[in-house]
């Protein structure tokens, strides 16, 4: 794996550092956040919410995350 970040990963990292904290569904994909977490650039808190849709009686799930930059990285 290359040590260099892709343009999308670089933009995401700059966005997270600028805001200090970034949440899911604000324009950054789960895959991008996962790569940044694996490289030790951000810490991510993951959670999954599951509910049953009333009319369809089917389970639905949504993955949420919160990313914070690692100090000194």
């Amino acid at each position: 794996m290359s040590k260099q970040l892709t343009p999308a990963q670089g933009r995401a990292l700059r966005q997270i550092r600028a805001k200090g904290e970034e949440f899911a569904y604000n324009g950054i994909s789960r895959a991008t956040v996962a790569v940044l977490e694996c490289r030790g650039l951000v810490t991510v808190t993951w959670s999954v919410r599951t509910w049953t849709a009333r009319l369809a009686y089917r389970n639905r799930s949504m993955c949420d995350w919160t990313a914070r930059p690692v100090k000194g990285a």
Side-chain angles (χ1 to χ4, degrees), residues 28-70:
I28 302 174
S29 71
R30 287 179 297 186
T32 299
V33 168
V35 169
L36 295 175
E37 182 181 31
C38 285
R39 294 187 181 191
L41 299 171
V42 298
T43 56
V44 182
T45 305
W46 297 90
S47 66
V48 177
R49 291 186 291 151
T50 303
W51 67 95
T52 302
R54 288 183 176 187
L55 297 176
Y57 297 106
R58 297 185 74 186
N59 289 338
R60 304 287 183 202
S61 297
M62 184 168 32
C63 180
D64 286 329
W65 52 262
T66 304
R68 292 174 188 86
V70 172

Side-chain angles (χ1 to χ4, degrees), residues 8-31:
Q9 292 166 350
R11 283 191 305 271
L13 184 58
R14 285 190 297 276
Q15 183 176 338
I16 292 169
R17 285 180 176 165
K19 292 186 176 183
E21 182 176 64
E22 190 63 62
F23 300 97
Y25 310 107
N26 282 348
I28 302 174
S29 71
R30 287 179 297 186

